[in-house]
Amino acid sequence: MSPTPEQFRALFEPRGVVVAGASSHPGKFGFVALHNILSQGFAGQVYATNREGGTILGIEAVPSIEDLPPDATLDLVFVCTPAAANADLLRACAARGITAAFVTSAGYGEAGEEGSAAERALVDLAAELGILLAGPNGQGVVSTPASLCAQIVAPYPPSGRIGVASQSGNFVSSFLNYAVQTEIGISRAVSAGNAAAVTVADYLDFYADDPETAAGLAYVEGLVDGREFFERVRRVASRKPLVLLKGGATTGGQRAAASHTGALAADDDVFDGMCRQAGVTRAATVEEAFEAAATFATQPLPKGPRVAIVTTAGGWGVVTADAIAGSELELAVLADDLCDAIDEKLPPRWSHNNPIDLAGGETRDTIPEVLALVAGHDSVDAVIYLGLGIQSNQAQLMREGCFYPGDGLERIVAYHERQDERFALAAAEVSVATGKPVLTATELSIASPDNPGPRAVRAGGRLCYSSSNRAVTALGHLWRYAQFRRRRGLE
Amino acid sequence: MESATRTLSEAASKQLLTTHGVTTVPGIVVPTASEAALRADDLDYPVVVKLCGAAIAHKTERGLVRLGLADADAVRDAATELLARARPEDGPVELLVMPMVKGSRELIAGLHTDRQFGPCVMLGIGGVFAEAIHDVQFRLVPITPVDAAEMIEGLRTQALLGAFRGEPPVDREALAEILLGLSRTAESDPDIVSVDLNPLVVVDGIPLAVDALVEVRVGAP
């Protein structure tokens, strides 16, 4: 039985949270959880229980749930108590109107036969009490619309539109770390732990209808029921883009001796086909998964496969064109009227071809103008823009060099930095105006993250791809999903 | 879940698949070498003769297929030899006389029961290098025409599906029809564990299933 929308609201948008088993020892989960909830500015009420009472981080801990003030408004209990205490705890919570529990406690399904029996009993009890049971053995839940950081690990991500659900808590952290680095934020994130009652598919199903979430991002390993998982993620992907990273070595499985078809069936091929059929974007690596989700969350879907490359240097364009050739995308053929229009903006040495190599012929307004011309043309479905930040990179060398200030350096440094900011903003503006994806790629996004170019891309709420190949990969995922929708009448 | 299975003979496999709309290259089933020679005259030479039986799954590996037989005498000789190769454990055997289908491209299609996802339709690049090339696509039963088209499009070796050595491109609709027929087969009969259409020989762009093997759960009718 999937949780109700009300129960999910109690988990992700609680009016009040109580940390059960709060600790005064900064090394314990019961302390860390309370610390993270308080320090990240959760706006609702916060309470804590501790068998010995006492003040922890300014909160007056009470010995048990029954001792909480009668006017406390509570929706969520964050459980850091030992497994043996949890049945009584849940009963007391239900009596106080709590409808969601995140259980970090270990000693359940991961701990042998006895643990599994305890887990089944806890699931049954929570169902009977009407409590959503997240975990057990999970790392926590994050919900940026509620400024909620109820987890026993870092980081707290910037707010945004990606909804994360993971069978591994550490992958939640990985995705959130990428969110911190790229500034492409998160709406909700949850570590499903043992997923005893609420599964990754349940969370994704909630995200699919969640107005705060634009794209789902999930990590899964062993599936209990593959067929059911397929049906669930298919329904999710018909509503919102969903990116999946799958772990777990292929086991090969039993192969029917009689069948060649079976001999050719590696588990991974079947999983891959399942994803294609469900419209799920399957990523091969952690960074590819995050970047695909970040792109879904921040760029419009392309209406076709034709990509134009706008570059300030030849080699970058050539390598990007190679990446496109090896993908499901196509290199747009430059229409004559588009060529003529670009001719107006550039000296004759520009490439007159796609990649559109500006060949150093640009003046103050060329890049914004060419981006607008290219993205605005009917023969182009998406744009990849290369070369942002080079001038600011030189400006940094000048700013940090021994001649600065002086020799006219201040003026040129300021000019370069201003220009790169303008170019980054222009790429985002053109994308919004045309409804087409415009992706900016430069290694400076990681080599020199404070460079004003990449910094302005981030400030504009978009991903600055660290290589054009990664931009092509992400754009390819968007195009595949756009096709999936169109072919099935889901537009 | 693990239950014993048995295979159907090629002729019975083809008959079953035909009822679900999967077209195969039919053959003539005969019990004796002389009848094989007689009936081969109804076909265009050269012909193929195979030794078939419910317990014989891999004919090629055992040398039970004779190709390119040019006349009735060749058919009789080949059929006599094949019957002599039958082993006691093969049980009842029969001879299958078929037209010789030649094409430079081979695909493979079938049904596979996955441990996690249940019945799946499969399409791959076939031929002797099939396992080395490993270019396959799976989808879960049931599939739609869009799924079938995307399976074909999803194969990496697209060059083999286009115009090739003077032959026209593979007829994608005909191929999709086979995949959809396999999906219907799995849907209508849960006792079918696997199906092999191996090879699907591409002749003038049309994929033709010259061999078929159906594996069913024991106890199933």
Side-chain angles (χ1 to χ4, degrees):
Chain A
M1 261 273 287
S2 297
T4 64
E6 291 72 28
Q7 288 177 319
F8 272 123
R9 254 197 303 284
L11 178 68
F12 288 114
E13 312 238 341
R15 290 166 297 176
V17 181
V18 55
V19 176
S23 169
S24 58
H25 188 301
K28 300 231 175 198
F29 290 156
F31 179 94
V32 175
L34 185 63
H35 171 272
N36 290 351
I37 292 168
L38 292 169
S39 68
Q40 299 308 315
F42 174 60
Q45 302 175 25
V46 181
Y47 296 91
T49 69
N50 175 295
R51 270 190 310 190
E52 277 124 44
T55 304
I56 308 167
L57 294 167
I59 300 283
E60 206 62 52
V62 295
S64 71
I65 297 289
E66 288 88 345
D67 301 316
L68 290 169
D71 61 340
T73 308
L74 292 166
D75 290 317
L76 172 65
V77 59
F78 194 86
V79 181
C80 299
T81 43
N86 288 346
D88 287 342
L89 174 70
L90 286 195
R91 283 191 196 92
C93 286
R96 291 299 301 262
I98 287 174
T99 51
F102 194 101
V103 181
T104 63
S105 325
Y108 286 104
E110 80 288 357
E113 201 33 60
E114 213 169 302
S116 293
E119 185 169 293
R120 283 192 296 274
L122 193 71
V123 169
D124 290 345
L125 177 64
E128 183 192 314
L129 297 170
I131 290 180
L132 176 156
L133 179 72
N137 194 28
Q139 295 193 347
V141 57
V142 162
S143 177
T144 58
S147 301
L148 178 68
C149 180
Q151 55 174 358
I152 55 176
V153 286
Y156 182 67
S159 69
R161 315 251 299 144
I162 301 175
V164 176
S166 174
Q167 244 171 294
S168 148
N170 293 313
F171 267 114
V172 175
S173 299
S174 295
F175 290 139
L176 301 194
N177 285 327
Y178 279 121
V180 170
Q181 183 202 10
T182 61
E183 296 180 32
I184 304 301
I186 301 294
S187 54
R188 330 276 190 184
V190 65
S191 142
N194 293 357
V198 189
T199 64
V200 167
D202 290 322
Y203 295 115
L204 295 175
D205 198 39
F206 169 76
Y207 296 159
D209 291 329
D210 175 20
E212 301 289 344
T213 301
L217 171 59
Y219 171 81
V220 293
E221 33 200 43
L223 298 175
V224 180
D225 182 342
R227 221 0 111 145
E228 200 223 338
F229 184 79
F230 166 67
E231 296 296 347
R232 299 288 302 277
V233 293
R234 171 150 73 170
R235 287 200 294 273
V236 171
S238 72
R239 287 172 283 172
K240 264 174 209 171
L242 169 59
V243 180
L244 209 60
L245 179 67
K246 180 182 175 272
T250 54
T251 56
Q254 74 272 40
R255 284 171 184 180
S259 141
H260 286 97
T261 302
L264 282 166
D267 290 358
D268 209 50
D269 296 323
V270 177
F271 193 86
D272 220 52
M274 182 281 287
C275 288
R276 290 294 300 262
Q277 198 172 0
V280 168
T281 298
R282 187 178 180 198
T285 64
V286 192
E287 57 270 35
E288 184 184 326
F290 180 80
E291 288 173 8
T295 310
F296 277 119
T298 58
Q299 298 270 0
L301 288 181
K303 296 196 172 56
R306 301 163 303 172
V307 184
I309 303 163
V310 175
T311 177
T312 58
W316 290 333
V318 174
V319 166
T320 310
D322 289 345
I324 287 173
S327 77
E328 291 171 39
L329 299 165
E330 295 166 16
L331 209 53
V333 177
L334 280 202
D336 289 343
D337 61 325
L338 179 54
C339 258
D340 293 346
I342 299 173
D343 266 331
E344 302 281 311
K345 308 289 178 195
L346 282 167
R349 67 171 181 276
W350 77 278
S351 64
H352 289 84
N353 212 332
N354 187 15
I356 301 164
D357 177 10
L358 307 181
E362 60 271 24
T363 54
R364 209 186 77 92
D365 297 319
T366 313
I367 288 175
E369 286 173 353
V370 170
L371 282 175
L373 284 175
V374 172
H377 200 274
D378 286 345
S379 62
V380 172
D381 298 309
V383 178
I384 294 178
Y385 164 45
L386 310 171
L388 180 71
I390 347 175
Q391 297 301 334
S392 295
N393 209 27
Q394 175 56 40
Q396 187 188 345
L397 215 54
M398 288 175 167
R399 189 195 280 285
E400 292 169 358
C402 57
F403 298 104
Y404 191 91
D407 296 293
L409 290 174
E410 302 97 302
R411 193 149 164 261
I412 195 71
V413 163
Y415 174 72
H416 285 327
E417 294 183 339
R418 206 165 52 238
Q419 283 291 85
D420 277 321
E421 278 173 21
R422 279 187 66 214
F423 300 161
L425 290 179
E429 277 166 19
V430 158
S431 169
V432 171
T434 58
K436 297 177 188 178
V438 178
L439 284 67
T440 303
T442 167
E443 71 284 351
L444 290 167
S445 71
I446 46 175
S448 182
D450 290 331
N451 181 302
R455 201 174 56 204
V457 176
R458 296 196 302 271
R462 297 200 175 206
L463 184 60
C464 191
Y465 301 82
S466 61
S467 76
S468 62
N469 296 67
R470 286 162 76 155
V472 169
T473 300
L475 188 58
H477 285 312
L478 262 63
W479 167 231
R480 190 181 270 192
Y481 182 64
Q483 268 181 299
F484 174 87
R485 295 193 68 84
R486 195 173 62 188
R487 287 169 172 174
R488 288 159 181 83
L490 293 169
E491 278 182 310
Chain B
M1 198 63 197
E2 282 298 278
S3 60
T5 65
R6 66 185 174 87
T7 53
L8 306 188
S9 74
E10 180 175 335
S13 295
K14 286 177 171 176
Q15 198 181 358
L16 176 77
L17 289 166
T18 304
T19 64
H20 297 294
V22 181
T23 48
T24 56
V25 179
I28 301 164
V29 179
V30 291
T32 63
S34 52
E35 228 176 309
L38 196 64
R39 298 295 303 277
D41 274 341
D42 297 344
L43 303 170
D44 287 335
Y45 288 105
V47 298
V48 179
V49 178
K50 305 178 186 183
L51 187 72
C52 297
I56 301 177
H58 294 137
K59 293 182 285 287
T60 310
E61 287 84 337
R62 280 185 53 194
L64 302 181
V65 179
R66 293 296 156 88
L67 303 169
L69 305 171
D71 53 34
D73 285 345
V75 170
R76 186 179 299 103
D77 291 349
T80 308
E81 270 182 61
L82 287 177
L83 286 168
R85 280 175 167 254
R87 298 171 185 162
E89 65 266 27
D90 290 338
V93 294
E94 59 201 8
L95 293 159
L96 191 64
V97 186
M98 282 173 55
M100 175 94 185
V101 171
K102 282 185 86 170
S104 49
R105 291 174 285 183
E106 288 185 3
L107 303 171
I108 174 171
L111 288 170
H112 162 70
T113 304
D114 183 77
R115 285 173 307 127
Q116 283 198 312
F117 295 102
C120 305
V121 180
M122 179 267 203
L123 171 68
I125 299 297
V128 286
F129 298 125
E131 296 197 16
I133 294 172
H134 197 91
D135 188 1
V136 290
Q137 288 284 317
F138 287 86
R139 295 293 186 275
L140 277 51
V141 170
I143 63 168
T144 65
V146 173
D147 293 326
E150 287 181 346
M151 288 179 77
I152 300 169
E153 183 188 303
L155 292 173
R156 288 191 313 275
T157 320
Q158 287 293 311
L160 265 184
L161 304 179
F164 184 77
R165 293 195 178 179
E167 290 181 52
V170 171
D171 184 329
R172 289 178 184 239
E173 279 182 35
L175 185 52
E177 219 25 76
I178 291 172
L179 301 175
L180 289 163
L182 286 166
S183 178
R184 283 193 298 272
T185 305
E187 269 193 288
S188 61
D189 192 345
D191 286 319
I192 293 176
V193 175
S194 77
V195 173
D196 265 352
L197 300 179
N198 183 29
L200 281 173
V201 179
V202 179
V203 181
D204 293 329
I206 307 294
L208 297 175
V210 298
D211 196 355
L213 178 68
V214 172
E215 181 187 8
V216 297
R217 256 177 217 104
V218 170

